[in-house]
Amino acid sequence: MLEQSVGALDIVVVLIYLLVVVYLGMLGYMRTKSATDYLIAGRQVHPFVMAMSYGATFISTSAIVGFGGVAGLFGMDLLWLTFLNIFVGIFIAFVFLAPRARRMGHHLDAHTFPEFLARRFESKFLQIFAGLVIFLFIPLYAAAVLIGGSQFIAVQFGVPYETALLVFSVIIAAYVVVGGLKGVMYSDALQGTIMFVGMLILLIFTYQKVGGITAGHEKLTAMAGLVPGKLKAIGHTGWTAMPPFGFGDIKYNLWWLVIPTITLGVGIGVLAQPQLVVRFMTVKSKRELNRAVLIGGVFILVMTGVAFVVGALSNVFFAEQGPRLKGRVVNVIDAEKQQAVMQIMTQDEAGQWIDVEGKMAPVLLDGEIAGQAEVEGETVDVVQGGSISIVIAKGDSGKIIPTYIKIALPKWFGLLFLLTLLAAAMSTLSSQFHTVGTSVGRDMWEQFTGKHGHTMLVTRVGIVIGIIYAVLLSYYWQESTVIPRATAIFFGLCASAFLPAFIGALYWKRMTRAGAVWSCLIGFVITAFWLLLVKSKEAAAIGLVQKLTDGQTSILAGKPNWDWVDPICIAFPISILVAIVVSLMTKPPSQDHLDKCFNK
Amino acid sequence: MLGIEDKGVLTAYLLCIASTLLCVIYGLINWNRGDEEVQPDDVKWAAEEKKVEEEI
């Protein structure tokens, strides 16, 4: 099948790519190992390598395929997330949190995020609890990355999703078995670099296809009339416009999805990502972090910024140059702009045009007539036109970016991009499963039993369970609209449960053990409560709320916009408040301990 | 400006570029600042971390 659909040039490009990757990988593996090798030798990791490998761990198919697809659906308002990715995820993280986390982590000899919190606040409970939360919830995020990669493979090669997931999972498992978990910085950095170049090409190509920056944006703005009615009802006002803000009406639902859930949840949650916090500890000095700010900022702009802009602009491409839909006009949206709602039609065996039952689409008409049809005794023109991204992707936002790349770009680029994206997904998944393993072995097993004997075995078992769990979730969910939701749940949970304690650990000496423990617990409990019973999409998927409320998807159903409010809006502020109030009410930590943490 | 009329989206677009510039300028100014000698606890930490990595 592959031979039929792929030309000689495509095979040559992919082979060259694979050879270069293998060669550089081997070179890198022989010469350099992980960041810790550098640190042991007292050497500086090249800032480019440091930033690129951090970036490859941070950015994955979830961001490009999942959130890029969301931008294709909802538009450029997603750029608020890019802004937070850069300003919070890079600038604030590297300038204000990383240097302190690194120093304190070394003083306390902490090697996992739960261990860091536990040693800073002298609480074994905190380590076990945080380890458990990570073990249970990182696989959600890993599943989001797996689904993104599998969808891309499925679209690119035209194979069923299940086949793609199986192949991708086997590759991941093999990668993990041969030692991919050790985080060899050079291969991560190489993947980061190729992704960077690939995204730049994608951006330039896309702007060129839609007629330039300003012209492309103007065309996208002019397409606002093509927003489907269902999306209009929840506040979608076009791909270059913010959804209206307010409370108490379903027309504000989209704002509550885009801003708190996607932008704030993911944008702020990144600060308390367990796998990224440990990464900060592997650098030699603040100088490396300073340099990484420069490269990291540019990297993230080119990754998520491009994914969101291209995702949104894919609407212009599909409408003007994408697959042509044929049918009859049932509703003229804007005659001047040639925008209409079309009943899709097809030709039967006799060559007669007939309606495709239940298939309507908003289209930008070409002005060409493809034929004529008899409808209810009247002769009507069969016209043709292009539709918006979500229609072309058959209603699945996660297919927008893969479909766009497949249709709009040369095949060799699509294949190269796919390989790069899969490589980046592998480095993200590696670090996720690494974190799952240590949370089981080091944070839970060692702390529970007090033994160190079987840690290695337990860690490995933890990784295997983590992989199986993530693959099962990916199989069960399939729909790639889950990608941004699963990612947002994990990031939001990290923010609400861990961020107040983490920032307090670094900046507030008065913060006590009780303050940290209660802040984590309350942040977690409120998030869980909200996801189980209030936020309707997630609660409906879990199913508990229906049993308690006779089929309602939220205990606040019928009270807009409560069932769209993200748990972070409630859990995060309360978690901060609890951290402060409980700390002030309890005995401060001893000066000796603080001296040890802050190395006075 | 740039074909985007909505102020909210335009602000986000421009803030993305501005925050990247902030990162670039900060990185350039501090390119050679912040070098630290490796302390014994850094090396101890790295040795232990290597053990953790190898266990996996």
Side-chain angles (χ1 to χ4, degrees):
Chain A
M1 182 184 63
L2 264 182
E3 289 80 3
Q4 288 165 2
S5 57
V6 182
L9 174 69
D10 307 322
I11 295 172
V12 170
V13 170
V14 171
L15 278 180
I16 291 174
Y17 166 84
L18 288 175
L19 283 174
V20 172
V21 169
V22 170
Y23 175 70
L24 282 178
M26 282 173 63
L27 211 69
Y29 198 78
M30 284 186 291
R31 285 198 195 150
T32 61
K33 295 280 169 70
S34 61
T36 41
D37 294 305
Y38 277 88
L39 192 52
I40 290 170
R43 283 166 57 205
Q44 192 107 333
V45 179
H46 193 282
F48 181 79
V49 174
M50 154 77 195
M52 283 296 165
S53 77
Y54 177 87
T57 317
F58 181 3
I59 297 295
S60 66
T61 44
S62 166
I64 310 285
V65 175
F67 287 79
V70 173
L73 181 59
F74 297 141
M76 287 199 191
D77 38 7
L78 262 269
L79 285 173
W80 280 104
L81 175 57
T82 300
F83 165 60
L84 285 191
N85 283 155
I86 300 168
F87 187 69
V88 176
I90 298 290
F91 191 77
I92 304 267
F94 278 61
V95 175
F96 295 103
L97 302 187
R100 283 184 180 231
R102 181 187 143 272
R103 279 255 67 93
M104 200 177 278
H106 290 190
H107 295 328
L108 297 172
D109 202 22
H111 296 269
T112 65
F113 181 65
E115 191 170 62
F116 176 84
L117 291 179
R119 294 197 174 170
R120 167 66 178 84
F121 293 114
E122 303 172 284
S123 163
K124 208 183 207 184
F125 169 80
L126 206 50
Q127 184 163 3
I128 296 170
F129 174 73
L132 183 66
V133 171
I134 289 166
F135 170 66
L136 290 177
F137 287 87
I138 272 202
L140 273 186
Y141 181 27
V145 178
L146 270 174
I147 297 171
S150 306
Q151 285 286 12
F152 210 130
I153 297 174
V155 171
Q156 191 73 28
F157 294 118
V159 295
Y161 171 81
E162 290 81 359
T163 314
L165 176 65
L166 181 72
V167 171
F168 193 29
S169 305
V170 169
I171 296 174
I172 296 293
Y175 183 68
V176 169
V177 169
V178 298
L181 282 175
K182 286 176 189 164
V184 179
M185 285 196 117
Y186 266 72
S187 67
D188 280 0
L190 177 74
Q191 289 153 12
T193 312
I194 298 174
M195 272 171 79
F196 184 87
V197 175
M199 292 304 279
L200 263 187
I201 295 175
L202 189 63
L203 180 73
I204 295 166
F205 181 88
T206 303
Y207 271 131
Q208 198 189 10
K209 278 263 171 191
V210 298
I213 298 175
T214 305
H217 295 165
E218 278 168 355
K219 284 179 190 172
L220 189 60
T221 307
M223 283 174 63
L226 296 178
V227 173
K230 257 193 205 167
L231 293 176
K232 257 187 207 150
I234 60 167
H236 195 328
T237 53
W239 289 272
T240 59
M242 292 297 291
F245 165 67
F247 202 84
D249 192 313
I250 60 159
K251 70 178 181 194
Y252 304 126
N253 276 348
L254 189 59
W255 189 92
W256 285 95
L257 175 67
V258 170
I259 300 302
T261 306
I262 293 179
T263 304
L264 276 183
V266 180
I268 294 178
V270 71
L271 292 178
Q273 285 283 294
Q275 69 278 32
L276 296 182
V277 170
V278 176
R279 194 111 201 177
F280 293 144
M281 296 177 197
T282 59
V283 301
K284 178 180 163 268
S285 69
K286 194 164 185 282
R287 187 167 73 174
E288 280 187 18
L289 294 166
N290 286 340
R291 292 177 173 188
V293 169
L294 188 159
I295 301 155
V298 177
F299 182 80
I300 299 296
L301 178 75
V302 171
M303 290 293 122
T304 71
V306 169
F308 301 163
V309 168
V310 168
L313 285 172
S314 70
N315 284 289
V316 177
F317 172 82
F318 284 128
E320 287 185 345
Q321 304 164 51
R324 301 290 89 185
L325 305 177
K326 294 184 175 69
R328 60 189 169 90
V329 172
V330 289
N331 179 25
V332 176
I333 299 167
D334 187 326
E336 200 183 326
K337 289 179 184 164
Q338 296 275 300
Q339 296 171 353
V341 177
M342 180 193 269
Q343 162 66 52
I344 309 293
M345 299 180 92
T346 184
Q347 277 177 301
D348 63 10
E349 284 166 11
Q352 298 291 318
W353 286 97
I354 50 166
D355 285 0
V356 179
E357 198 99 358
K359 277 200 117 182
M360 301 260 203
V363 288
L364 187 66
L365 296 168
D366 288 350
E368 286 184 27
I369 294 171
Q372 290 190 315
E374 288 288 323
V375 180
E376 291 165 6
E378 277 183 48
T379 305
V380 292
D381 287 338
V382 177
V383 291
Q384 68 170 32
S387 192
I388 55 174
S389 306
I390 193 68
V391 171
I392 303 299
K394 299 192 168 64
D396 190 345
S397 66
K399 286 199 180 115
I400 292 178
I401 296 280
T403 309
Y404 171 71
I405 287 172
K406 189 176 182 188
I407 294 178
L409 287 113
K411 186 138 205 160
W412 64 265
F413 181 85
L415 290 171
L416 211 62
F417 197 80
L418 171 74
L419 290 171
T420 315
L421 217 52
L422 295 187
M426 291 199 323
S427 54
T428 305
L429 286 163
S430 279
S431 88
Q432 288 168 340
F433 291 129
H434 182 290
T435 312
V436 169
T438 52
S439 71
V440 174
R442 203 174 167 99
D443 298 325
M444 290 198 281
W445 171 258
E446 279 190 9
Q447 298 309 311
F448 253 132
T449 61
K451 290 180 202 161
H452 298 266
H454 301 292
T455 305
M456 192 196 285
L457 179 69
V458 176
T459 302
R460 285 181 180 166
V461 170
I463 291 174
V464 172
I465 294 173
I467 294 176
I468 295 173
Y469 178 20
V471 172
L472 285 177
L473 287 177
S474 312
Y475 179 75
Y476 178 67
W477 281 331
Q478 302 212 0
E479 281 238 346
S480 47
T481 41
V482 165
I483 303 172
R485 286 191 180 274
T487 309
I489 289 175
F490 180 67
F491 277 64
L493 179 67
C494 285
S496 301
F498 302 136
L499 193 54
F502 179 51
I503 292 184
L506 300 177
Y507 277 95
W508 195 33
K509 291 181 181 170
R510 182 67 181 77
M511 187 151 175
T512 65
R513 176 193 325 180
V517 168
W518 280 107
S519 155
C520 289
L521 273 176
I522 297 284
F524 174 77
V525 169
I526 296 178
T527 304
F529 171 82
W530 209 262
L531 290 174
L532 283 172
L533 299 173
V534 183
K535 194 155 185 250
S536 59
K537 284 264 174 168
E538 284 74 4
I542 299 162
L544 177 69
V545 70
Q546 288 98 320
K547 290 189 183 126
L548 297 176
T549 60
D550 288 332
Q552 300 279 5
T553 55
S554 167
I555 53 170
L556 294 175
K559 295 188 178 67
N561 308 77
W562 280 108
D563 54 344
W564 282 62
V565 169
D566 195 78
I568 198 172
C569 301
I570 313 290
F572 187 50
I574 295 180
S575 176
I576 294 174
L577 199 68
V578 167
I580 295 170
V581 172
V582 175
S583 291
L584 291 177
M585 285 165 58
T586 45
K587 197 171 148 253
S590 72
Q591 196 52 47
D592 278 356
H593 178 66
L594 289 176
D595 287 348
K596 191 179 158 202
C597 298
F598 291 86
N599 196 32
K600 283 281 160 59
Chain B
M1 190 181 172
L2 291 168
I4 303 172
E5 286 164 25
D6 186 282
K7 287 201 180 80
V9 173
L10 183 64
T11 309
Y13 196 99
L14 296 176
L15 275 177
C16 289
I17 295 166
S19 55
T20 306
L21 284 177
L22 173 74
C23 288
V24 170
I25 292 165
Y26 178 88
L28 286 178
I29 292 174
N30 295 291
W31 192 258
N32 283 318
R33 290 184 193 167
D35 195 19
E36 294 158 77
E37 283 297 310
V38 174
Q39 305 290 326
D41 64 354
D42 296 335
V43 178
K44 189 170 153 257
W45 183 90
E48 172 71 16
E49 179 68 12
K50 187 147 182 66
K51 225 175 82 199
V52 175
E53 279 177 9
E54 270 163 11
E55 272 180 3
I56 295 172

